[in-house]
Amino acid sequence: MNGQKTAVSDPYFPANGDPRYRVHRYELALEYRPGPNRLAGTARLSAIAGRAPLTEFHLNLADFKIGRVLVNGRAPHYSHRGGKLRIRPPKPLPAGAAFTVDVHWAGNPTPVRSPWGGLGWEELTDGALVASQPVGAPSWYPCNDRPADKASYHISVNTPSAYTVVAGGRLLTRTTRASTTTWVYEQPAPTSTYLVGLSIGMYQTVLLGDPGLGGVPQSAHVPAHLLPRFSRDFARQPAMMQLFEELFGPYPFGEYAVVVADEELDVPVEAQGLSLFGANHVDGVRGSERLIAHELAHQWFGNSVTIADWRHIWLNEGFAKYAEWLWSERSGGRTAHELAAAAHRLLSGQPQDLLLADPGRKLMFDDRLYQRGGLAVHAIRCALGDGPFFRMLREWGTVHRHGVVTTAGFTAHASHYALEPLDDLFRAWLFEPSLPPLPAPGPSVPPA
């Protein structure tokens, strides 16, 4: 299911996103003052109406003051309540028509409330960062907030010159005038709203490894006092990149950046071409190396190959979890089968009420989903054998590069590489809540 073919609301978040149109480009111009936590912005969305004329549509945007809204340069009727900016153009937009929406907004950004706490724009002690998964993007810009609606981004941020601004994509220009600096980034690859990353802070910028000709430029933005520990903790990231390109196919974006915020974060955060870590993930003894692998793997699984809606989140997290195990196996640590056996022991003592292929909103970030997702991928590897399994992985990433996928699409894809039907395996691991037995390693899978 490559491309953007879904035309229904997300079943877990029906208030987010509008399937009646899609956006193909966002141009955001932001001004941010860290002291008062004041954000002002203008956005131009270039969009295409769906199969029916649009008499009205909506964007998701948190509680900001709206200065102006235009559709194709003309003022529409609009209302802004409960995180929705509802827009009625002066004339209905024909089916399939290209149109633009301009929005000016300002206010003090705060995280969007969710079952998992605040999501999106987070004011730090000195700066800010964005951690939007799954529904935090409207905390800082107007958007069609659904994972299947992927667009390119041009982001300009003006802020006091002492701060570094990091966004996913390529830094085009950095222009200083008086006491402020404007940073301009371009992300040409199709990007989901929740994967638009941004961090503003006091950072030193360093390069990781030497990408060489045709290699992936890797940069890091780190508080100066954490650099010695960071240098050890992230020393093997270039080797991870090399391994994952071998196993998963070419890195799907133009560059990769990591940011370490100068305060603790519960978990690292993946964004497109960018991952954000907390100071607690930098200990100088590589204590969080599996998380470095996990976030890097998301660039393939989740960011380039994106789920159509949140029911399919195991396709993001199961593959990123399995990438942790593959890195361990290939870098001299425990084998994937040893780690799978440990995960299986852990899950066997926990409630058996998780349906991996449709966990429900309440359990979509449950640790059991990550562990069972990794186990499901391991079961497929055991069934296929290494040669067909890794061909299947690489071609999954290649065929659906920058596309949108579902569980049904994945099971159909994986089945092409099997000599025997995989129906029973998929039913047991994906569609039934009880934990299947630990899969026996095939001849090419290192045993425990």
Side-chain angles (χ1 to χ4, degrees), residues 22 71 134 150 153 185 216 218 228 245 308 406:
R22 62 183 181 89
V71 176
K150 301 170 72 169
Y153 281 78
Y185 284 86
V216 180
Q218 299 175 62
E245 286 202 298
T406 63

Side-chain angles (χ1 to χ4, degrees), residues 187-209:
Q187 176 54 273
T191 306
S192 293
T193 50
Y194 83 92
L195 290 170
V196 182
L198 182 68
S199 183
I200 299 169
M202 302 284 194
Y203 301 128
Q204 296 263 4
T205 298
V206 295
L207 299 180
L208 286 168

Side-chain angles (χ1 to χ4, degrees), residues 1-11 13 16-24 26 134 144-153 190-195 302-312 316 402-406:
M1 182 172 164
N2 203 4
Q4 297 173 25
K5 297 178 182 177
T6 30
V8 294
S9 295
D10 191 300
F13 303 98
N16 283 63
D18 187 336
R20 295 172 293 182
Y21 70 99
R22 62 183 181 89
V23 183
H24 63 85
Y26 290 83
N144 190 14
D145 191 31
R146 46 197 298 263
D149 196 18
K150 301 170 72 169
S152 65
Y153 281 78
T191 306
S192 293
T193 50
Y194 83 92
L195 290 170
N303 300 7
S304 173
V305 180
T306 302
I307 51 176
D309 63 60
W310 292 107
R311 289 174 298 181
H312 311 287
N316 294 359
H402 303 321
V404 174
V405 296
T406 63

Side-chain angles (χ1 to χ4, degrees), residues 129 166 199 203 219-222 234 257-261 274-278:
L129 63 77
V166 186
S199 183
Y203 301 128
S219 61
H221 309 273
V222 185
F234 282 74
V258 294
V259 171
V260 177
L274 172 69
S275 294
L276 298 103
F277 296 82

Side-chain angles (χ1 to χ4, degrees), residues 41-279:
T42 64
R44 166 162 284 194
L45 286 64
S46 299
I48 298 173
R51 296 180 178 178
L54 278 183
T55 56
E56 58 95 26
F57 59 93
H58 74 257
L59 301 172
N60 295 104
L61 179 63
D63 187 21
F64 290 97
K65 181 180 179 182
I66 304 294
R68 186 174 65 171
V69 178
L70 299 174
V71 176
N72 290 336
R74 298 179 62 192
H77 295 282
Y78 71 88
S79 65
H80 184 216
R81 287 190 303 275
K84 278 192 177 182
L85 179 59
R86 300 179 186 275
I87 298 171
R88 185 153 55 87
K91 293 198 307 187
L93 301 167
F99 64 99
T100 59
V101 184
D102 293 277
V103 182
H104 296 218
W105 75 101
N108 299 104
T110 58
V112 172
R113 284 180 295 183
S114 83
W116 310 279
L119 299 172
W121 189 281
E122 186 173 338
E123 183 185 6
L124 303 179
T125 304
D126 194 9
L129 63 77
V130 167
S132 292
Q133 188 179 20
V135 290
S139 68
W140 64 289
Y141 74 101
C143 56
N144 190 14
D145 191 31
R146 46 197 298 263
D149 196 18
K150 301 170 72 169
S152 65
Y153 281 78
H154 181 92
I155 301 175
S156 164
V157 182
N158 178 272
T159 201
S161 295
Y163 293 86
T164 297
V165 175
V166 186
R170 184 160 63 96
L171 177 63
L172 298 182
T173 60
R174 184 179 66 191
T175 307
T176 298
R177 290 191 177 88
S179 60
T180 67
T181 298
T182 301
W183 304 69
V184 180
Y185 284 86
E186 176 74 27
Q187 176 54 273
T191 306
S192 293
T193 50
Y194 83 92
L195 290 170
V196 182
L198 182 68
S199 183
I200 299 169
M202 302 284 194
Y203 301 128
Q204 296 263 4
T205 298
V206 295
L207 299 180
L208 286 168
D210 178 6
L213 286 174
V216 180
Q218 299 175 62
S219 61
H221 309 273
V222 185
H225 70 97
L226 293 177
L227 271 173
R229 279 185 276 165
F230 172 87
S231 297
R232 176 165 173 75
D233 290 337
F234 282 74
R236 301 210 292 182
Q237 184 183 281
M240 284 179 198
M241 178 71 79
Q242 190 173 0
L243 174 65
F244 290 171
E245 286 202 298
E246 173 197 328
L247 299 181
F248 309 149
Y251 178 75
F253 307 111
E255 54 285 299
Y256 182 58
V258 294
V259 171
V260 177
D262 201 5
E263 50 192 89
E264 295 194 357
L265 301 181
D266 289 341
V267 292
V269 179
E270 78 265 19
Q272 189 118 318
L274 172 69
S275 294
L276 298 103
F277 296 82

